[in-house]
Amino acid sequence: MNDDLEGAEAGLANGNSTFHKLGKGMVAFLRATLGFEPEIMREASERLADAETTASADHRRAQRDSHSYRSQIYPSGAEFALCHAETQLMSAVVGVLNESLTESIKGFYKLRKAYVTLDGILDAETRYMKKRSGMGTNTPDNRSVESLASNRSARSLKGMPGDFGDGEVRKAPPRYSSIICVEEPRLDVQSAPVDESKHQEIRTATDEEDEFYDANEDHVEKTATYTGHLEMNGIVRNLEDSSVDGGNTPTTTELPPPKPAPDRHGMLDHDPDSDIFANPIDVFIHSGANLCYGLLLVMIAMIPPAFGKLLFIIGFHGDKDRGIRMLWQATKFHNINGAMAGLIVLGYYNTFIGFSDIIPDTDPTSVDPNSIEGYPRKRCEALLAEMRVRHPKSHLWLLEEARMQASNRHLSTAISLLEGSTKSPLKQVEALEMFEKSLNAMYIHDYTLCAKSFIACVSLNNWSHALYYYIAGAANVELYRHAKSSDPKSAPTYAKKATELLKLAPKHAGKKKFMARQLPFDVFVTRKIQKWESRAQQWRVPFIDAIGVSPVEEMIFFWNGYKRMDQSQLDTSIERLNWSESPANTNWTREGPDEQAILAILRGATLRNLSRWDEAKTILRAGVLNVDKIELKGGLKDDWTAPAGHYEMGVICWMQRGEATKRNAGIEVEEKWVQECGSWVDKAAKWEGYTLDARIGLKIATAQDTIRRWNEKRSGEKV
């Protein structure tokens, strides 16, 4: 975590223990997730599989060996069970990033397995805390807990693979004689007590127990074994061919309810200097379990509506609040688990929360150590400062500092941080910094720097060259339009460069895939270029003049750059958007409702961020909401504008609710705005599939969660 992966490799090279192999796997995992390079992802998968096998063997040995470490909190071998879960969690992430549909689905099964193990470890903590506080419990302190029991016998569950069903589980003979086979922990029923004389055990199951066969990713034939679907961009992808082992897998229509978070007094949330953590093995288990379980809960809770069917594979719900609290707990510990948790926490607030609009209220000046809602700025700043001290050479923390500056509308400062004199020795981190700088340059309308930086991304990262070339070309479109009036001699140069880059983009689309499908932005870019080429031919004008509303401003909207701009930068965006209806654009009279809706959305979002809410609503109603939705979809049209318009109306209502709160307008006024906000957001959530629906769906999912929590809090106040 100090940008010295070579040093980490050297330090781990001579060891073959579970912990050495886990470390080697984590090094490869970091390289893989930072750069998405296929070779590195393959290496990470191999290393993690090796570590998983060793962890399973060591776990069985620890259960049999009377001289193995005995914790006052955890069952025998829990440290190896945690290593096993960590390898599965990292393998799952690598699998989902893999271009194979089969590998992606195997990854989701691994998530489910890791969840069960981690749930058992955290359950042991809860029982220990209850025992320590003298509280009674219905569950014996030393009951057995099974983990990772997603084996062949899982097919007999009444529900989907990964489901925690209500029925009895018919167990296959144990694969390992040293492992006690007990009923799998379930979210909706309480495990039966067992003999208290037995020490608690956590069972591990290897992936050898699940056999997967390559799915036909071009043509999926329906079978009778599995009726799950994966919805992305409005296209339903059948998953039947990815059934486990070809067995007869029953179907389900309902997920189990989420397991309620334990009361605060039942959670182990002590600081590192507590006497509870006198043994470093307990520190490792506690910090690692909080890191992994917290990450899982947050990841699953963030699944957007377009990917909702994946919950049926994973088999459980997320819990964002509990997950974030657990990640914060892990950050207290000065080890790899604490560092990873810190990176995830800062990434969550600076990237995900920064991307969302409808989020809970928070006091930015609050130093409450338990504050997690909204954007707890002071707490995040304190965490970042601590991590910079722990790992002073790492550019990962410099990147998070730049993101934090951007979230606080200090874009120029963010760029300055990223343009520092030193470079990270890790190419993957350098690529992330360059991409972040490219986006920030786009937000401040420095088109030359934006184009240059995105072109640099092409040589540093191979994730989405189509997107890089597209935005670089879009930046040159803005330079061309500006030069037409300010420097006519240079305009043809910019026009030529923009045309070259934009037409180069589709040639690189489709080379990278996610879950066997093209990247959403690659699909978007390809359609956009086709749209402009068609218009150029139809209107008999050069390609550069057939481009419609500012493609740069459109990209800013999709990355929610308006939220990071100060007033002067927002005013510049208004000016760029006004170009479309100005005399300089001789083709505006040819535009139909489709392009006019794009202009309305972008203007509405910009005005909203300037707190000019009534103007924004008027523009959205005229340009989007009052237009027949048939006019806004089909062919090469931008079908995202109608659902985005409904979402934008919801955001404005939420902003007006916040204003009502500040001026003490009364709870009735606030409720009115929240109800209207919820109505708009629900309409957007139920929209049919459209371009980039997963991206907009992330905002919608966060909005629905925020509104739900506001209503629950209000109901509690009434009681």
Side-chain angles (χ1 to χ4, degrees):
M1 301 304 292
N2 204 29
D3 281 12
D4 188 11
L5 294 188
E6 297 300 327
E9 293 273 21
L12 295 164
N14 296 324
N16 287 311
S17 73
T18 289
F19 303 103
H20 283 82
K21 291 184 177 182
L22 175 63
K24 293 174 187 176
M26 186 170 286
V27 169
F29 171 78
L30 283 171
R31 293 188 192 274
T33 53
L34 290 174
F36 305 109
E37 305 291 339
E39 312 81 39
I40 297 177
M41 285 199 282
R42 279 194 294 272
E43 181 184 10
S45 295
E46 292 170 1
R47 288 191 183 186
L48 291 168
D50 184 28
E52 184 178 342
T53 300
T54 304
S56 180
D58 281 349
H59 175 257
R60 298 195 304 274
R61 176 190 55 75
Q63 289 179 314
R64 294 193 302 264
D65 187 356
S66 61
H67 298 291
S68 64
Y69 172 65
R70 291 293 190 264
S71 169
Q72 63 176 335
I73 307 173
Y74 307 103
S76 300
E79 64 271 32
F80 300 113
L82 173 64
C83 291
H84 193 269
E86 287 190 349
T87 60
Q88 290 190 318
L89 183 55
M90 288 187 283
S91 295
V93 173
V94 173
V96 171
L97 293 176
N98 194 291
E99 297 184 8
S100 164
L101 178 62
T102 304
E103 291 301 314
S104 298
I105 294 173
K106 286 172 67 176
F108 287 116
Y109 277 100
K110 283 180 179 287
L111 286 183
R112 189 256 186 194
K113 290 182 174 184
Y115 175 90
V116 180
T117 290
L118 295 166
D119 188 60
I121 293 174
L122 270 298
D123 189 53
E125 286 190 356
T126 300
R127 292 198 309 278
Y128 170 78
M129 291 303 294
K130 288 182 177 180
K131 180 180 179 181
R132 180 183 171 95
S133 63
M135 294 179 58
T137 176
N138 294 328
T139 304
D141 183 52
N142 293 319
R143 72 178 181 183
S144 294
V145 180
E146 177 190 17
S147 68
L148 300 161
S150 180
N151 51 27
R152 297 182 195 277
S153 65
R155 296 188 204 102
S156 63
L157 282 170
K158 187 176 182 180
M160 275 199 47
D163 186 26
F164 300 95
D166 294 323
E168 282 294 317
V169 182
R170 294 173 298 189
K171 292 296 174 184
R175 187 176 178 86
Y176 305 112
S177 59
S178 62
I179 297 174
I180 298 177
C181 273
V182 295
E183 188 174 14
E184 183 178 85
R186 298 178 304 204
L187 298 183
D188 52 346
V189 295
Q190 187 175 13
S191 298
V194 299
D195 186 354
E196 296 186 20
S197 65
K198 296 180 180 179
H199 191 68
Q200 177 190 3
E201 294 183 359
I202 298 180
R203 181 182 186 274
T204 61
T206 65
D207 282 322
E208 295 173 0
E209 296 172 343
D210 284 334
E211 296 179 16
F212 285 80
Y213 298 94
D214 288 336
N216 183 342
E217 294 164 2
D218 297 319
H219 174 71
V220 183
E221 185 177 335
K222 291 190 175 182
T223 69
T225 59
Y226 185 4
T227 59
H229 295 79
L230 174 63
E231 297 176 4
M232 290 185 290
N233 299 323
I235 299 174
V236 178
R237 184 69 181 238
N238 293 313
L239 300 178
E240 289 87 343
D241 283 6
S242 297
S243 298
V244 183
D245 196 34
N248 193 18
T249 306
T251 62
T252 188
T253 58
E254 186 177 333
L255 284 171
K259 183 176 182 178
D263 295 334
R264 194 161 188 79
H265 59 249
M267 294 181 65
L268 180 52
D269 57 0
H270 291 56
D271 292 334
D273 56 0
S274 169
D275 60 350
I276 292 178
F277 299 121
N279 192 294
I281 295 181
D282 288 344
V283 171
F284 171 72
I285 298 172
H286 174 74
S287 59
N290 275 270
L291 162 67
C292 297
Y293 200 79
L295 176 59
L296 262 177
L297 292 178
V298 173
M299 283 173 54
I300 304 306
M302 287 167 52
I303 290 180
F307 291 86
K309 294 291 183 180
L310 295 181
L311 287 172
F312 286 82
I313 299 176
I314 298 168
F316 59 87
H317 290 272
D319 185 337
K320 194 184 302 178
D321 278 3
R322 186 185 180 197
I324 289 296
R325 290 190 189 280
M326 297 181 78
L327 288 167
W328 273 111
Q329 172 66 11
T331 64
K332 297 177 182 179
F333 298 87
H334 192 168
N335 57 17
I336 181 63
N337 297 323
M340 287 292 291
L343 197 63
I344 294 167
V345 165
L346 292 173
Y348 169 79
Y349 284 112
N350 293 329
T351 304
F352 178 73
I353 293 298
F355 176 73
S356 304
D357 302 293
I358 301 176
I359 58 176
D361 297 326
T362 185
D363 180 359
T365 63
S366 174
V367 292
D368 179 4
N370 297 315
S371 175
I372 65 168
E373 290 194 339
Y375 184 81
R377 183 181 304 170
K378 290 294 183 182
R379 193 179 185 193
C380 288
E381 289 174 351
L383 175 62
L384 178 60
E386 171 66 19
M387 291 299 172
R388 291 296 299 272
V389 171
R390 290 188 197 175
H391 315 285
K393 296 180 181 179
S394 176
H395 279 240
L396 286 170
W397 310 108
L398 183 67
L399 175 63
E400 289 305 327
E401 185 171 351
R403 287 173 172 169
M404 187 176 291
Q405 291 290 343
S407 295
N408 294 329
R409 300 180 185 267
H410 302 148
L411 289 167
S412 296
T413 303
I415 291 175
S416 297
L417 285 169
L418 296 169
E419 289 184 326
S421 56
T422 62
K423 286 187 177 181
S424 170
L426 299 177
K427 179 182 176 182
Q428 296 91 339
V429 176
E430 184 184 353
L432 287 174
E433 290 182 307
M434 184 62 69
F435 183 73
E436 193 71 21
K437 184 173 77 172
S438 304
L439 290 176
N440 290 337
M442 180 171 70
Y443 302 153
I444 66 171
H445 308 97
D446 187 337
Y447 303 121
T448 301
L449 178 62
C450 175
K452 177 183 175 182
S453 300
F454 270 112
I455 293 299
C457 286
V458 173
S459 61
L460 292 171
N461 179 279
N462 67 356
W463 179 245
S464 181
H465 287 182
L467 176 65
Y468 304 155
Y469 283 124
Y470 178 82
I471 299 182
N476 277 277
V477 170
E478 294 298 333
L479 291 170
Y480 162 72
R481 289 177 175 178
H482 181 69
K484 283 175 68 177
S485 58
S486 62
D487 185 12
K489 290 184 179 180
S490 65
T493 302
Y494 292 125
K496 180 180 178 182
K497 189 66 175 176
T499 301
E500 289 175 353
L501 290 169
L502 289 171
K503 291 197 173 185
L504 185 61
K507 297 178 182 179
H508 291 270
K511 293 186 177 181
K512 294 292 294 183
K513 293 184 178 181
F514 178 72
M515 294 184 66
R517 297 196 59 79
Q518 286 192 50
L519 300 179
F521 267 117
D522 282 10
V523 176
F524 174 87
V525 165
T526 302
R527 179 192 56 78
K528 223 30 171 169
I529 302 304
Q530 290 175 347
K531 177 181 180 180
W532 294 336
E533 287 177 333
S534 175
R535 285 148 55 102
Q537 185 177 11
Q538 181 182 353
W539 295 351
R540 297 183 180 180
V541 298
F543 174 81
I544 189 72
D545 293 323
I547 296 172
V549 175
S550 171
V552 165
E553 294 298 324
E554 190 175 34
M555 284 293 103
I556 290 173
F557 172 80
F558 283 124
W559 291 95
N560 209 2
Y562 295 130
K563 189 177 178 180
R564 294 167 171 80
M565 294 183 185
D566 60 25
Q567 181 165 337
S568 65
Q569 292 152 358
L570 288 166
D571 288 339
T572 301
S573 283
I574 291 290
E575 293 176 9
R576 297 294 183 267
L577 292 170
N578 287 342
W579 179 90
S580 292
E581 294 180 320
S582 72
N585 181 13
T586 57
N587 293 314
W588 183 250
T589 55
R590 296 175 172 178
E591 298 287 9
D594 171 42
E595 205 71 21
Q596 292 169 5
I598 297 175
L599 180 60
I601 292 290
L602 303 184
R603 273 181 171 166
T606 310
L607 291 169
R608 167 173 63 78
N609 280 276
L610 286 167
S611 299
R612 292 160 61 177
W613 300 314
D614 290 337
E615 291 179 66
K617 283 184 173 180
T618 300
I619 288 174
L620 288 170
R621 286 193 179 98
V624 184
L625 304 177
N626 293 339
V627 178
D628 188 341
K629 64 180 182 180
I630 299 298
E631 298 284 341
L632 303 178
K633 67 177 184 178
L636 298 175
K637 295 177 181 177
D638 286 83
D639 58 357
W640 58 269
T641 54
H646 285 75
Y647 170 77
E648 278 296 316
M649 290 292 286
V651 178
I652 294 171
C653 291
W654 186 255
M655 298 296 104
Q656 291 179 299
R657 173 215 57 86
E659 181 63 24
T661 302
K662 290 178 182 178
R663 56 187 174 83
N664 296 318
I667 192 63
E668 293 78 12
V669 176
E670 290 185 52
E671 284 183 334
K672 167 186 170 295
W673 287 121
V674 172
Q675 289 175 1
E676 186 175 348
C677 171
S679 175
W680 288 112
V681 170
D682 286 344
K683 289 178 182 178
K686 296 174 183 177
W687 213 267
E688 59 190 324
Y690 54 91
T691 305
L692 299 179
D693 53 1
R695 191 169 191 82
I696 297 176
L698 277 172
K699 295 183 177 184
I700 293 173
T702 303
Q704 290 179 312
D705 182 60
T706 300
I707 294 168
R708 175 186 58 78
R709 285 197 277 173
W710 190 96
N711 287 324
E712 288 175 353
K713 183 178 179 181
R714 175 60 182 150
S715 297
E717 291 174 352
K718 287 181 179 179
V719 175

